Structures are given as structure tokens and as C-alpha cells.
Amino acid sequence: MSFRNLGNKTVGRIKVGVFMLALIPLLKLCAGAYSDELGANPIEKISHVTGYWTLTFLLITLTPTPLRRLSGWPWPVRLRRMLGLFAFFYGCLHFLTYLVLDQFFDWDGILEDIVKRPYITVGFPAFLLMIPLAVTSTDNMIRRLGGKYWRLLHTLIYPCAIGGVVHYWWLVKRDLTNPIIFAVLLGVLLGARAVYRPRTTKPLYSKIVKR
Amino acid sequence: MKPYKTPAIPASEITPKTLFYARRKFMRNAGGAALTALLPQSLWAAGPFGDLKKSPYAVEEELTPRKAITSYNNFYEFGTGKEDPAANAGVLKTRPWTVSVEGEVNKPKVFDIDDILKMAPLEERIYRLRCVEAWSMVVPWLGFSLAELLKRAEPTGNAKYVEFVSLYDPAQMPGQKSAVLDWPYREGLRIDEAMHPLTLLTLGLYGDVLPNQNGAPVRIVMPWKYGFKSAKSIVGIRLLEKQPTTSWMKAGPNEYGFYANVNPDVDHPRWSQTKERRIGEFLKRKTLMFNGYADEVAPLYASMDLQKYF
């Protein structure tokens, strides 16, 4: 069996498997909360875990495209929507953790954070950018927007992921190991797009500008 | 219907009087033990240190559980994660251990840790601890004022500052293999801060010896300063004429100042210091000036611009 071309049935099975795997971080958090094993500062732990997985899923979502261009495998692209929605899902949990558990609806404190704390100034809009992407993720929305505009809109994932990594980089106190790893991986994923451009299609922007 | 007749109790079923009273005594003792466990450590500390001197420095706030104090630590020598010190500090050998006192002193000395333990009566001091990361605890430390130790070395008139040097031993401290800070960990105080009675040479926690992850065998604690000032596992104390540069000042000069007094009006450049989360509580509480120790320490900084000397 070749990994290049997989049947619908196989891809469907892979999708189910990835779906289950993607829920593991959440299940582990729930189990930890239930058995009181999230440590002395559970709110911080929940915030860190949900943030970590938001970024991780953003990076995984950015992988199928360069993978297809490099290896010629078309099927991982079919997992992309689900992966992106998981990034949004963990992003929502991360944002809700901040809103409810950390700040407990202290609107003044939240506004001050957004204005004065650079890591939140960049992290909050990065989260907001995911909302239009999630909303337009359905087949129906792709059809209504048309592939061209839909694809242009979904390039928002680039500033969103960059914002997420910068958010992480700016919030750690001293040990930059993890932010550096995320930054390098993101650099590779974005760099691969620049190097391995599809041969058939012209750059998207020039087409739109011409109209 | 026949009226019910209480059956006669056979003699074998009756508890002998001695056992009957023994049970009462057992229950009394067990109850007492259970009750004792709920009291503050100061009232039941017949631990390794025997009777502890009562200290006036005891905040009347709920103690943070021992488990939280010993499992949620910033001690980068053992890793930068909060759980790393508890996981990695077990290998630290705390005997033999000496602390040298040198520099601007008439009598430079090298103290053995077991002599330090006998130097002055140990007090239990219940201090607030405020981390620069905006969380806080209430900790029952054991120790005595650092001044007790310093005066034995007779600081000279040139001694304006005190530097604390922590152990440097990458074989025991895996975190030191990374250049996350400039090792060994260095902290410092002005001499009047170091001689202030609140500055605690700390040798124990919760009635027992200091756990390794909390800075065994000896550390300092200044409750009105952010936690990172309170250097752990100290091997050297140097009295200096000039202000030393601390590890955190080198790591981030615009983020970590020499004084690092808890101050809700001076934000960390990247986050607010107006509030803090007390470990174990849900809603944040307001951070107090000098962490609530303004009555004791505010005079030390009477004429200083605390925005500048943060």
C-alpha cells in the first residue's frame, strides 16, 4: 500500500483517529482537575496547557500544504479543516480560561491588559483572527465565498500563528526554550511555502489586484 | 400477646471496667492528636528542632498547605518548570555544608551548617511570600534574623551592601547546565536591609528542616521583596562597599531591579503587579505595598524614588 493515494475509507478512519488523539489534552486536563492533580496553581496550568495546544494545532494545521508540495501526498490536506477547528477549540478554551478563571470578568483589568501588556496586545487579536476562519470553514461558506476569496481570507492563519508565537515569546519570564522551538517550526512551515510554490497557479494577490 | 422481656445480659458480654476506661483514654488521646494536627505548627512543633521561640512576626492568615509550598517552586538550579525543583532537588547533598562570610568584615568566618543551626534560638515566622509572577503564599518559616550571623563577622564601616552566593554544582543542580541565568545565583541587599530584623536566615519550614526544593539547607527570606530576592542554598555571604549586580539584574536589567520591593504601583514591564493570586484561592487579591510590611520597612526607603529604584 502506498501512502501517496489513500482511499476515502482510509482517510475517514485516519480522521476519526486524529479526532480522538486531538481530544487527549482536554481529557487529561479534565482528569487532572477531577483528581486535583493540576498542581498548586491549577488556573495557571489550565491556561498554559490550552495555550500550548492552540499553538501546536496551529502549527499542525500549517503542515499539510507544504507536505503535499514536497511529497505529493494529497490526503493530509483533507485533515486540515478538522485540525484548524481544533486549534480554534483550544484557543477558545484558552481565552475562556483567561476571561473566567484568571480575570473572572474583570473588564477593566482585561482592557488594561490588552492595552498595556504586549503579550496580550498581540495574543488577543491573534485569537480574534481565528473566528472568521472557523466561521467560514464549512463547505457552504467555501462555495459562497468562492475558492479564490476563501483562500485569501484563510491566509489570516499566518498572522494568527505568528501572533501566537510572539504572544508566547513575550510572556515567558526567562526560559525561551519552548517559544524558540515553536518559532523555528513556524519559520520552517512558512519558509517551505515560499520555497516550494505551486508551479501551476500564479500568485493569488496579483490576480485580485488586476480585477 | 406476651409482654417483651429484656434478656439477661451474660457476664461475658460486659466490658470490664478497666477496658472501659482505657477506651475513653484512647479516644481522648486520639481526639487530642487530631485536634493538634489542626493547630498552627508553632503550637505542636516538637519536631527535630524542639521548642521554638515565639515570634511576633506571624501574619494571621491561613497557611498555604505544605504540599503547595513544596511542589510549586521557582528554583532554576533544578529546572525552570514549577514542578522541576520537587522532582530534581532530591539529589542535593546538604551535609557537609558551610557558609563563608567574607569581604568587608573584621572577622571573616566559615560557618558549618550545624553550628548555624545552634547559633540562635529558632523562631517560627509566618510570612507572606509574593512572587514577581503575581502569585502569593503564606509560609511558616523557621530561622532567626540574619543580623545574628552577620554581627559575628563584625562588618566594617565600609560594608554598605551584602551579596549572597548560592551553590554552583551542575552535577547536583541540572538546571545549571543551561545558561538560563548567570550561575552561581547571586542576590544582594543593602546593609540596612540585611540587618533588618525581618530578614530571616531560614533553616526550616512547617516545623521541619527545609526541604531541598525550598532552598536547603539555608536560605534567606525577605517577605517585603519579591521572592527571587530570597536566595536559596547559600554558600557565601560577602559584605561589599559597592552594590553588587544580581543574577536577575543581569538577566533583565529593565525588568528586575536591585531592590525588587513588592510594590503594586510599579508594574513589571510585561505584567501588572496590582493584584496577586493567593495559591489556593480563586479570586485575585490586591497586592499590598511592601507586601503588607510597610510599617516595618517603609522607613528604609523614606527618601527614595521607588519608580526609579524598583
Side-chain angles (χ1 to χ4, degrees):
Chain A
M1 193 178 99
S2 148
F3 281 113
R4 190 189 177 97
N5 296 306
L6 300 180
N8 281 342
K9 226 174 171 180
T10 315
V11 174
R13 281 198 199 113
I14 292 173
K15 256 190 187 172
V16 173
V18 171
F19 185 91
M20 308 280 233
L21 287 174
L23 284 174
I24 288 176
L26 176 66
L27 293 177
K28 277 178 76 177
L29 264 187
C30 291
Y34 180 75
S35 56
D36 197 17
E37 275 166 11
L38 294 181
N41 196 346
I43 295 172
E44 182 190 65
K45 173 76 106 198
I46 294 167
S47 184
H48 286 178
V49 169
T50 52
Y52 176 90
W53 284 101
T54 306
L55 266 184
T56 302
F57 276 107
L58 273 173
L59 294 193
I60 300 176
T61 306
L62 286 168
T63 310
T65 301
L67 189 69
R68 178 182 54 186
R69 288 181 198 166
L70 271 168
S71 69
W73 296 0
W75 60 267
V77 175
R78 292 168 66 184
L79 301 174
R80 199 170 53 181
R81 165 162 53 191
M82 189 176 77
L83 292 165
L85 285 171
F86 266 111
F88 180 62
F89 174 65
Y90 280 103
C92 288
L93 291 180
H94 185 60
F95 178 71
L96 286 173
T97 305
Y98 171 75
L99 181 71
V100 183
L101 299 182
D102 189 46
Q103 296 289 336
F104 196 63
F105 309 105
D106 174 5
W107 301 110
D108 292 342
I110 292 169
L111 194 68
E112 196 190 294
D113 269 355
I114 293 172
V115 176
K116 281 175 80 176
R117 313 296 157 207
Y119 77 97
I120 294 178
T121 313
V122 68
F124 181 63
F127 166 71
L128 292 181
L129 283 182
M130 288 203 280
I131 296 173
L133 306 192
V135 169
T136 59
S137 67
T138 60
D139 289 342
N140 194 23
M141 285 304 283
I142 297 171
R143 225 174 298 124
R144 278 173 62 182
L145 281 167
K148 197 160 59 184
Y149 290 110
W150 185 88
R151 239 176 277 138
L152 178 62
L153 177 68
H154 278 247
T155 55
L156 285 178
I157 193 175
Y158 305 143
C160 171
I162 293 169
V165 171
V166 172
H167 165 75
Y168 193 15
W169 192 291
W170 281 349
L171 83 87
V172 298
K173 191 166 141 207
R174 182 67 192 156
D175 186 0
L176 285 171
T177 313
N178 277 339
I180 288 171
I181 293 171
F182 276 115
V184 167
L185 291 175
L186 181 62
V188 168
L189 290 168
L190 297 185
R193 285 173 161 74
V195 175
Y196 299 96
R197 285 185 171 283
R199 269 158 286 166
T200 48
T201 52
K202 285 182 195 161
L204 205 55
Y205 298 101
S206 57
K207 274 191 192 170
I208 288 158
V209 171
K210 270 182 212 159
R211 278 165 60 121
Chain B
M1 204 168 107
K2 271 209 271 178
Y4 179 75
K5 256 174 82 184
T6 312
I9 301 166
S12 61
E13 288 289 306
I14 296 170
T15 309
K17 196 177 172 183
T18 45
L19 281 183
F20 182 80
Y21 280 112
R23 181 187 166 279
R24 286 191 176 184
K25 195 177 166 202
F26 172 78
M27 291 306 285
R28 219 168 29 233
N29 289 347
L35 204 66
T36 312
L38 297 174
L39 292 172
Q41 300 281 322
S42 53
L43 299 177
W44 62 278
F49 299 121
D51 288 337
L52 297 166
K53 196 177 145 191
K54 273 215 148 197
S55 169
Y57 297 122
V59 295
E60 287 175 4
E61 289 171 33
E62 196 185 334
L63 297 183
T64 303
R66 189 180 193 282
K67 194 183 173 222
I69 297 172
T70 57
S71 65
Y72 188 76
N73 307 98
N74 275 327
F75 195 174
Y76 281 15
E77 280 86 338
F78 294 104
T80 55
K82 291 284 188 299
E83 290 99 3
D84 291 345
N88 301 331
V91 296
L92 178 69
K93 276 196 280 180
T94 57
R95 294 292 186 288
W97 191 281
T98 58
V99 179
S100 65
V101 182
E102 56 193 41
E104 293 290 347
V105 289
N106 287 324
K107 292 183 179 166
K109 282 197 160 108
V110 177
F111 294 102
D112 189 85
I113 184 67
D114 291 312
D115 294 332
I116 295 175
L117 277 158
K118 285 177 245 154
M119 190 175 280
L122 292 187
E123 302 166 29
E124 176 166 84
R125 296 197 185 175
I126 301 170
Y127 279 169
R128 293 181 204 93
L129 168 78
R130 170 63 157 80
C131 179
V132 74
E133 296 164 6
W135 53 265
S136 65
M137 295 181 174
V138 178
V139 186
W141 302 109
L142 300 181
F144 49 82
S145 292
L146 175 68
E148 286 286 341
L149 179 103
L150 292 182
K151 72 185 183 193
R152 281 172 167 76
E154 295 179 13
T156 69
N158 286 334
K160 304 280 196 313
Y161 293 91
V162 184
E163 183 184 53
F164 304 92
V165 184
S166 299
L167 179 69
Y168 177 71
D169 186 356
Q172 295 193 76
M173 297 177 143
Q176 290 178 333
K177 287 168 188 157
S178 141
V180 66
L181 288 174
D182 186 34
W183 308 113
Y185 194 89
R186 288 171 197 275
E187 258 309 334
L189 293 173
R190 220 167 51 191
I191 187 78
D192 56 342
E193 298 176 319
M195 298 301 280
H196 193 281
L198 266 179
T199 298
L200 188 71
L201 192 72
T202 306
L203 300 145
L205 168 74
Y206 254 113
D208 209 340
V209 294
L210 206 53
N212 287 357
Q213 62 267 37
N214 295 87
V218 57
R219 65 176 295 177
I220 46 163
V221 173
M222 288 78 68
W224 73 95
K225 290 175 179 283
Y226 292 120
F228 68 88
K229 290 296 290 180
S230 296
K232 303 182 179 86
S233 303
I234 291 170
V235 294
I237 298 175
R238 301 201 307 154
L239 287 100
L240 305 169
E241 198 175 352
K242 296 234 164 67
Q243 178 185 302
T245 304
T246 70
S247 293
W248 277 105
M249 285 166 77
K250 280 185 199 166
N254 63 332
E255 298 192 333
Y256 307 100
F258 177 76
Y259 288 92
N261 292 316
V262 176
N263 187 342
D265 302 326
V266 178
D267 284 342
H268 185 282
R270 291 183 285 149
W271 56 82
S272 166
Q273 296 291 26
T274 56
K275 288 182 183 177
E276 66 200 49
R277 170 161 291 115
R278 177 68 52 83
I279 294 302
E281 292 182 356
F282 176 64
L283 290 176
K284 291 183 182 178
R285 48 168 79 206
K286 280 204 166 101
T287 291
L288 304 172
M289 188 65 202
F290 296 115
N291 204 20
Y293 295 91
D295 287 348
E296 288 91 349
V297 300
L300 295 176
Y301 314 101
S303 57
M304 286 173 65
D305 178 358
L306 297 178
Q307 299 281 335
K308 190 177 166 201
Y309 297 100
F310 58 88

